[in-house]
Amino acid sequence: MNGARSLLTTLVDAGVDVCFANPGTSEMHFVAALDTVGGMRGVLTLFEGVATGAADGYARIAGTPAAVLLHLGPGLGNGLANLHNARRAHTPMVVVVGDHATYHKKYDAPLESDIDAVAGSVSGWVHRSLRPADIAADTMAALDAARRGVVSTLILPADVSWSDGAGPAPAASEPEEPAVDGDAVRAAAAALRSGERAVVLVGGDATRAPGLAAAVRIGEATGASVLCETFPARLERGAGVPAVERLAYFAEAAAEQLAGARHLVLAGAVSPVSFFAYPGKASDLVPDGCTVHVLASHRGAAAALEHLADELAPGSTPAVAPSTRPALPTGDLNAFAAATVIGALLPEGAIVVDESNTAGVGVAAATAGAPAHDVLTLTGGAIGYGIPAAVGAAIAAPDRPVVSLQADGSALYTISALWTQAREHLDVTTVIFDNGAYDILRIELQRVGATSGAEPGPKARELLDLGSPAMDFVQIAEGFGVPARRVRTAEELAAALADAFAEPGPHLIDAMVPSLLS
Amino acid sequence: MNGARSLLTTLVDAGVDVCFANPGTSEMHFVAALDTVGGMRGVLTLFEGVATGAADGYARIAGTPAAVLLHLGPGLGNGLANLHNARRAHTPMVVVVGDHATYHKKYDAPLESDIDAVAGSVSGWVHRSLRPADIAADTMAALDAARRGVVSTLILPADVSWSDGAGPAPAASEPEEPAVDGDAVRAAAAALRSGERAVVLVGGDATRAPGLAAAVRIGEATGASVLCETFPARLERGAGVPAVERLAYFAEAAAEQLAGARHLVLAGAVSPVSFFAYPGKASDLVPDGCTVHVLASHRGAAAALEHLADELAPGSTPAVAPSTRPALPTGDLNAFAAATVIGALLPEGAIVVDESNTAGVGVAAATAGAPAHDVLTLTGGAIGYGIPAAVGAAIAAPDRPVVSLQADGSALYTISALWTQAREHLDVTTVIFDNGAYDILRIELQRVGATSGAEPGPKARELLDLGSPAMDFVQIAEGFGVPARRVRTAEELAAALADAFAEPGPHLIDAMVPSLLS
């Protein structure tokens, strides 16, 4: 058995049966092995950032890693931004990067580059397989690491892929759940019983129903505020699910949510910091005089919260979000009207992939009482995540509707993911919030102006404008094989969403909304 | 003066007056400074790979570096593939990567990553500016390095950008041309006079008229074969220019070109190696028993060849390519007919950006006698280069028509570059060679099959197919604001090209050609 077949066999035997791929010549033996090793679904993407974003979306929903196949250093580079997001989401993923044959590297052929250095910047585990006999064990090691919540990168030289001599795989070791830290639970309990203002910040594996239920029980019993990290990897919410507010993106608003807290209990979340630094503003959002208590890191946070809830409020049951939908609005579309329409129509069991950025400001409120759904967010801030993640989520959960809320500027980084949606006939409804600008940057530029006292000039403003020429997302989507239409009113959006939800396969709706600044 | 203004002022004063940008929040002060510092043209791209590819195309034509503005590690990652190509082309470039404020980095905010490690994989010079007072000198150092033919990466923390205290710039040091190595010239001359079969392989700065003229004079005087490296950064060719054949991409064909050589003189080119390794095939393409003579590296190769030519053939004048055009073909389009049409109509002074890959197999022969033109090629093998490079070339030479020959698969990596072509009203005619497949990989898969004795299976073949669904490049281009049409016959292509060449601004022609394997 050659290395490629050994790799595929090991993955499939361990339950990894989807591979998002954008292969090249050095991966041809891996590609050829797809037909000799059964059980692996190869999903072609037109760009590596689509493959890595799709694998992230897949794993967040499936709970198990997907494989990704990339071509040498440049392919890894193209996939890097969404690997960065995956790293921040603690998404399990096995990235296979094909490389030149071991003996070929010294010739510094045109595609030679330092794959290891680039992979190291996003991977919790990096290894280069040097012999076919090692492949099975290396693959299991990659998988073991991935299952602990990291991006694992296995570099596969072409000759190791094509040469015979592969051996059997060692047994899989299911990762153990981290033990609950009794001392941390007791310390948090004491802080929460102190009567001083406290905030519980949940993240990691505590942002699904069990962890949220425990957190809300704690809040109800102690008066503590319960917040969710700003960009959870996967947040369960909607009717019947205990509701938590998310920590705000802008530091000023986050500081307000945390103001006066004397205790901050971190349950799967990291200590809150400003997304960016601003002149004269603090980076650390923990208020002065507030003690930070680390209850648990991203794995085991739900279990730790359950222990804490049982300590503080034994036998209690948390309040859950009521089932309420906003009425369908009418008239001209804007960001809030669009959000309201989405809240009114969000289908049962939806997966919402949210890269709507500034334009999505109204979505959380409008969907709070919609049927229970999962939200995947931009954990690492590297835009171009949404459309690819929707691909992966739809493959992981073919029976659930995927609603991809997408800012226009961010959509253009990985727009070809629409083609994979069409090719795989995925049930994804993409809503483009089309305001013709990098609105978040226009807001940031205003902040620069407010700081420096100088109004932004025409060159700066022009560099944040997407309206000249206006992009036609309907044509672009149809060019990639996804049916699309443009909407300018709430009624048109409602009709388009209803049609898209009713018909299987991908759809795109270009929702024309004015800039928040206009 | 703050760091951002110092950086811009230093660049503009040193003659760098174009910046290809895809900024984010951490670069807002740089963006704001575009209005306070005069003389810098900011060119917005929708994806960082477009910015880096455009800067590469710009510098190859302008001969001077452009600046590139990228947003943190993920922005650099998105730009990495085309920086890899630029590195292989020895393109001068100054990449400014905005980073978090110096004091903010320790908080590991979501966008924090190891920029230095990633930049190091493609840059000949990497530096992080730590004080506004250092910015001007750091910028000059970056520029000095760039002018020696490397990608320079200057990492600009946000607080260094926004804080005052910048100082004046040191004087520029124009890079000296490397001295001609007299020993190397004599050794090459002796080898070429030996009467044994010799090959002169030109590359680097010897692939423009002066270097080519010298190389051809040498060939005429000594009987040596003159070849050009497989992927020159910028090859001048066509009527009136001394003609050289390029070393073939496939190792078998290249081996044939070099067969029997006892001497290989490298003038700006590296010693030829196989682009990829293949089972049982040699990576090193230098024939057994052939001595390699390094005349010059990529800089100074033309000058060294001139010395050598004056030594071997004083006063001689080289033959040049005659002015000949193929007749316009008729009937159904295929890759060769398309090439013939292009050869018949290529406008005077064109810049041809060639990422046509397998489908462009007929282009070199068909355009050999067309009016003199420059060809930019895919130096590093990282696809997604062509459409961005055409942006940069058109900005560098607004009076020259740019003809962008583009394979369909590669086009999708950086397709949004079309929007920048429309926005800047660039005179670029893109011809998509639309065969609905990764044809190069289908060829490679056949080679795998030939090696292993197994026919490629359906899963493997499907992973190289772009036809399901078929992409509509006309809709995609028009969605980005570029007028487009589809052609299926030679007559239609000729008419579309004539129209595109006659009308200023960008155009795209979707040329439907069958796969070479069909």
Side-chain angles (χ1 to χ4, degrees):
Chain A
M1 185 184 284
N2 70 20
R5 289 181 200 177
S6 172
L7 174 49
L8 274 173
T9 302
T10 308
L11 288 172
V12 171
D13 287 351
V16 177
D17 55 8
V18 174
C19 180
F20 298 96
N22 187 264
T25 297
S26 39
E27 294 76 45
M28 268 313 110
H29 289 81
F30 184 103
V31 170
L34 286 171
D35 286 291
T36 46
V37 176
M40 179 65 82
R41 176 176 179 185
V43 178
L44 176 61
T45 67
L46 299 176
F47 176 69
E48 294 87 348
V50 177
T52 54
D56 186 5
Y58 176 92
R60 291 196 205 181
I61 293 300
T64 55
V68 177
L69 181 65
L70 304 177
H71 180 50
L72 291 148
L76 176 62
N78 283 337
L80 208 66
N82 275 329
L83 292 177
H84 172 86
N85 289 323
R87 172 168 79 95
R88 291 294 180 187
H90 302 289
T91 301
M93 195 185 300
V94 176
V95 180
V96 178
V97 182
D99 194 8
H100 284 309
T102 51
Y103 60 83
H104 194 68
K105 288 187 76 63
K106 68 179 175 200
Y107 295 109
D108 194 33
L111 272 164
E112 176 65 27
S113 70
D114 190 346
I115 296 174
D116 307 70
V118 176
S121 75
V122 288
S123 309
W125 185 97
V126 183
H127 183 75
R128 175 181 292 275
S129 285
L130 293 175
R131 304 183 314 157
D134 298 337
I135 287 275
D138 290 347
T139 305
M140 284 312 301
L143 206 45
D144 285 352
R147 285 183 170 141
R148 285 164 176 79
V150 303
V151 173
S152 290
T153 301
L154 182 67
I155 303 171
L156 179 66
D159 55 335
V160 179
S161 178
W162 76 52
S163 297
D164 282 330
S173 68
E174 275 298 312
E176 285 174 25
E177 281 297 304
V180 173
D181 178 345
D183 289 346
V185 171
R186 279 182 289 279
L192 290 160
R193 283 179 175 132
S194 68
E196 298 179 314
R197 167 148 161 68
V199 174
V200 178
L201 185 63
V202 301
D205 69 9
T207 61
R208 296 172 66 182
L212 297 173
V216 169
R217 286 169 60 203
I218 293 164
E220 288 168 349
T222 65
S225 305
V226 179
L227 294 171
C228 171
E229 59 187 347
T230 310
F231 293 107
R234 174 180 176 175
L235 175 63
E236 198 168 338
R237 64 193 296 276
V241 181
V244 296
E245 200 181 323
R246 278 162 66 181
L247 189 69
Y249 169 78
F250 284 115
E252 298 89 330
E256 220 159 282
Q257 290 172 299
L258 298 171
R262 305 291 295 170
H263 299 281
L264 175 62
V265 177
L266 300 176
V270 296
S271 194
V273 299
S274 174
F275 205 85
F276 293 105
Y278 298 95
K281 304 234 167 94
S283 291
D284 187 349
L285 298 179
V286 178
D288 285 345
C290 176
T291 305
V292 176
H293 309 269
V294 178
L295 178 66
S297 73
H298 64 281
R299 289 179 65 229
L305 281 170
E306 282 174 6
H307 272 71
L308 184 57
D310 289 343
E311 168 86 22
L312 293 168
S316 72
T317 315
V320 297
S323 173
T324 58
R325 298 242 202 202
L328 274 173
T330 58
D332 284 351
L333 210 55
N334 60 39
F336 287 93
T340 307
V341 174
I342 291 162
L345 299 178
L346 194 73
E348 189 74 36
I351 298 167
V352 177
V353 180
D354 184 9
E355 193 178 39
S356 54
N357 302 351
T358 54
V361 61
V363 171
T367 55
H373 55 279
D374 285 299
V375 181
L376 311 189
T377 80
L378 186 61
T379 49
I383 56 178
Y385 165 76
I387 309 181
V391 166
I395 287 176
D399 297 331
R400 298 178 63 181
V402 176
V403 180
S404 178
L405 305 180
Q406 183 61 56
D408 52 355
S410 306
L412 275 322
Y413 287 69
T414 47
I415 189 74
S416 74
L418 292 173
W419 182 77
T420 300
Q421 292 181 8
R423 177 181 173 94
E424 302 287 336
H425 202 66
L426 303 178
D427 200 11
V428 179
T429 301
T430 302
V431 179
I432 302 284
F433 286 81
D434 189 344
N435 58 25
Y438 290 120
D439 231 26
I440 180 68
L441 297 184
R442 304 212 299 196
I443 293 169
E444 296 286 7
L445 190 64
Q446 282 199 337
R447 289 154 65 107
V448 170
T451 312
S452 67
E455 272 295 297
K459 279 188 173 182
R461 289 200 308 270
E462 201 189 326
L463 217 53
L464 312 179
D465 170 48
L466 302 177
S468 172
M471 254 153 300
D472 185 332
F473 279 97
V474 172
Q475 281 193 298
I476 293 171
E478 293 190 337
F480 284 117
V482 171
R485 70 168 102 163
R486 181 167 298 111
V487 300
R488 297 178 186 280
T489 66
E491 293 90 330
E492 288 171 4
L493 175 57
L497 278 176
D499 290 350
F501 294 149
E503 185 183 72
H507 298 81
L508 181 139
I509 301 167
D510 187 21
M512 307 304 287
V513 295
S515 159
L516 294 178
L517 300 178
S518 59
Chain B
M1 182 184 284
N2 70 21
R5 290 182 199 175
S6 172
L7 173 50
L8 273 174
T9 302
T10 308
L11 288 172
V12 171
D13 287 352
V16 177
D17 55 7
V18 174
C19 180
F20 298 97
N22 187 264
T25 297
S26 40
E27 294 76 44
M28 269 311 111
H29 288 81
F30 183 103
V31 170
L34 287 171
D35 286 291
T36 47
V37 176
M40 179 65 83
R41 176 177 179 183
V43 178
L44 176 60
T45 67
L46 298 176
F47 177 69
E48 295 86 348
V50 177
T52 54
D56 187 5
Y58 176 91
R60 291 197 204 180
I61 294 300
T64 55
V68 176
L69 180 65
L70 304 177
H71 181 49
L72 292 148
L76 176 62
N78 283 338
L80 209 65
N82 275 329
L83 291 177
H84 172 85
N85 290 322
R87 173 169 78 95
R88 291 293 180 187
H90 301 290
T91 302
M93 195 185 302
V94 176
V95 180
V96 178
V97 182
D99 194 9
H100 284 310
T102 51
Y103 60 83
H104 193 68
K105 288 187 76 65
K106 68 179 175 201
Y107 295 109
D108 194 35
L111 272 164
E112 175 66 26
S113 70
D114 190 346
I115 296 174
D116 308 70
V118 176
S121 75
V122 288
S123 309
W125 185 97
V126 182
H127 183 74
R128 176 181 292 275
S129 285
L130 293 174
R131 303 182 316 155
D134 298 337
I135 286 275
D138 290 347
T139 306
M140 284 311 302
L143 206 45
D144 285 351
R147 285 182 170 142
R148 286 165 175 79
V150 302
V151 173
S152 289
T153 302
L154 182 66
I155 304 171
L156 179 66
D159 55 336
V160 179
S161 179
W162 77 51
S163 298
D164 283 330
S173 68
E174 276 297 312
E176 285 174 27
E177 281 297 303
V180 173
D181 178 344
D183 290 346
V185 171
R186 278 183 290 278
L192 290 160
R193 283 178 174 132
S194 69
E196 297 179 314
R197 167 149 161 67
V199 173
V200 178
L201 186 62
V202 300
D205 69 9
T207 61
R208 296 172 66 182
L212 298 173
V216 169
R217 285 169 60 203
I218 293 164
E220 289 168 349
T222 65
S225 305
V226 179
L227 294 171
C228 172
E229 59 188 348
T230 310
F231 293 108
R234 175 180 176 175
L235 175 63
E236 198 169 337
R237 64 192 297 275
V241 181
V244 296
E245 201 180 322
R246 278 163 66 183
L247 189 70
Y249 170 79
F250 283 114
E252 297 88 330
E256 218 159 286
Q257 290 171 298
L258 299 171
R262 305 291 295 171
H263 299 283
L264 175 62
V265 176
L266 300 176
V270 296
S271 195
V273 299
S274 174
F275 206 85
F276 292 106
Y278 297 95
K281 302 234 168 93
S283 292
D284 186 348
L285 298 180
V286 178
D288 285 346
C290 176
T291 305
V292 177
H293 308 270
V294 178
L295 178 66
S297 73
H298 64 281
R299 289 178 67 229
L305 281 170
E306 283 174 8
H307 273 71
L308 184 57
D310 288 344
E311 168 87 21
L312 293 168
S316 72
T317 316
V320 297
S323 172
T324 58
R325 297 242 202 203
L328 275 172
T330 57
D332 285 351
L333 210 54
N334 59 40
F336 287 94
T340 307
V341 174
I342 291 163
L345 298 178
L346 193 74
E348 189 73 37
I351 298 167
V352 177
V353 180
D354 184 9
E355 193 178 39
S356 54
N357 303 350
T358 52
V361 61
V363 171
T367 55
H373 54 280
D374 285 300
V375 181
L376 310 189
T377 79
L378 186 62
T379 48
I383 57 179
Y385 166 76
I387 309 180
V391 166
I395 287 176
D399 298 330
R400 298 179 62 180
V402 175
V403 181
S404 178
L405 305 179
Q406 184 60 57
D408 52 355
S410 306
L412 275 321
Y413 287 69
T414 48
I415 189 76
S416 74
L418 291 172
W419 182 78
T420 300
Q421 293 182 7
R423 177 181 173 95
E424 303 287 335
H425 202 65
L426 303 178
D427 200 12
V428 178
T429 301
T430 302
V431 179
I432 302 284
F433 286 81
D434 189 345
N435 59 26
Y438 291 120
D439 231 26
I440 180 68
L441 297 184
R442 302 213 298 198
I443 294 170
E444 296 287 6
L445 190 64
Q446 282 200 336
R447 288 153 66 107
V448 170
T451 311
S452 67
E455 271 295 297
K459 281 188 171 184
R461 287 200 308 268
E462 200 189 327
L463 217 53
L464 311 180
D465 170 49
L466 302 176
S468 170
M471 254 152 302
D472 185 331
F473 279 96
V474 172
Q475 281 193 297
I476 293 170
E478 293 190 338
F480 283 117
V482 171
R485 69 167 102 162
R486 181 166 299 113
V487 299
R488 298 179 186 279
T489 66
E491 293 90 331
E492 287 172 3
L493 175 58
L497 277 176
D499 290 351
F501 294 149
E503 185 182 72
H507 297 81
L508 182 140
I509 301 166
D510 187 19
M512 307 304 287
V513 296
S515 158
L516 293 178
L517 299 178
S518 60

